[in-house]
Amino acid sequence: MNDTVRPESAAGTESATQLYDASTARIAALVRDADPSTPVDACPGWTVEQLVAHLAGGLGDFLARRFDLAPGDDFGERTVRERRGQAVAESLAEWERHRAEAGDLLASPMGGVLVAEVVSHEQDLRTALGRPGARTDPGVRVGLTRPLEQIDQRLRESGGPAVRLMIDDEKEHRTIGEGEPVATLRVSAYDLLRTIGGRRTHDQARALDWDGDAEAALDSLTLFGSFRDTPLRGE
């Protein structure tokens, strides 16, 4: 069975809006007293200050539908570059202003994309600051929805190997890709989110609970096409 879980059903009674706001509040609490120059190894080249600037600027660009890029530019890098030197408090204030205008956006299908972004970066910050937490938050499961849809589409278009997933306590599996799965992965939502987001090494992904041809399946599991070279501290 290949089932697509919408954010609302995966989160129980919590909407994408509530999950986004909860993660935002946790991030604000994490960074207010943190050293803004702390490197965020999950986002190479960025500090805590720059990652918060990206979250603020990213939501602003989503609101403005500002997705066009100059040749060779990068969406994330642009948000940081445009806020060079902006203090964490200023970025939090900007983020709050954008959030006040984002109700309709969060209530739309785009809400799941924004939840994936914020919960992934929350975990990046937690890893950088040595403050683990919120790994079983419903937002983590919702954060899987859009990335898994993207991976599934890519595999179907490319003819890549299908993978069967058993996530947390789900009674029914889901399959990404088309055809008979080459392997089955039993995994927590948190571990899967970090793996498909490129926050794990190949060896870490291989060490998950696999049945079948894990090696053939591993390349199916990264949204951006590659694993890390070295493990993140705390992962």
Side-chain angles (χ1 to χ4, degrees):
M1 176 179 179
N2 181 27
D3 59 318
T4 300
V5 179
R6 293 185 60 82
E8 292 79 8
S9 62
T13 60
E14 294 180 271
S15 68
T17 301
Q18 291 170 311
L19 295 170
Y20 184 89
D21 287 346
S23 183
T24 299
R26 291 192 297 267
I27 288 172
L30 283 169
V31 302
R32 281 199 176 101
D33 297 323
D35 181 350
S37 65
T38 302
V40 180
D41 291 341
C43 304
W46 289 3
T47 62
V48 166
E49 180 178 270
Q50 291 167 318
L51 180 49
V52 180
H54 164 64
L55 288 166
L59 182 57
D61 281 355
F62 266 84
L63 279 168
R65 300 294 194 270
R66 186 180 173 226
F67 303 126
D68 293 337
L69 291 167
D73 204 355
D74 174 87
F75 178 82
E77 293 296 337
R78 183 181 69 185
T79 59
V80 170
R81 183 177 64 249
E82 292 178 342
R83 290 159 182 80
R84 185 174 288 115
Q86 181 166 290
V88 166
E90 294 174 300
S91 292
L92 290 175
E94 180 191 357
W95 196 5
E96 187 174 351
R97 290 194 301 273
H98 293 320
R99 170 60 189 90
E101 301 176 4
D104 290 344
L105 181 64
L106 285 164
S108 75
M110 192 63 69
V113 176
L114 293 170
V115 170
E117 171 87 352
V118 74
V119 298
S120 294
H121 283 320
E122 177 187 348
Q123 293 302 329
D124 294 339
L125 285 164
R126 289 185 176 281
T127 299
L129 298 171
R131 299 278 301 279
R135 294 185 175 185
T136 60
D137 185 81
V140 175
R141 289 181 66 93
V142 172
L144 287 169
T145 303
R146 180 56 180 158
L148 287 178
E149 289 173 350
Q150 290 176 292
I151 293 172
D152 177 64
Q153 180 179 355
R154 184 185 70 202
L155 290 173
R156 290 172 183 273
E157 290 174 351
S158 68
V163 181
R164 181 182 295 113
L165 300 172
M166 302 288 290
I167 304 172
D168 288 333
D169 56 355
E170 288 182 350
K171 292 183 172 60
E172 296 178 327
H173 68 263
R174 71 184 75 185
T175 299
I176 52 174
E178 191 167 16
E180 184 65 23
V182 299
T184 297
L185 174 62
R186 296 174 179 82
V187 66
S188 70
Y190 173 78
D191 284 329
L192 184 57
L193 184 71
R194 301 304 278 168
T195 299
I196 66 178
R199 271 63 170 182
R200 298 287 173 81
T201 65
H202 180 281
D203 287 345
Q204 287 175 317
R206 181 66 182 83
L208 296 172
D209 185 4
W210 290 94
D211 287 329
D213 190 351
E215 287 298 330
L218 281 175
D219 287 342
S220 301
L221 277 188
T222 57
L223 184 60
F224 305 111
S226 62
F227 293 104
R228 285 183 57 83
D229 294 328
T230 58
L232 288 171
R233 287 173 294 178
E235 290 281 356

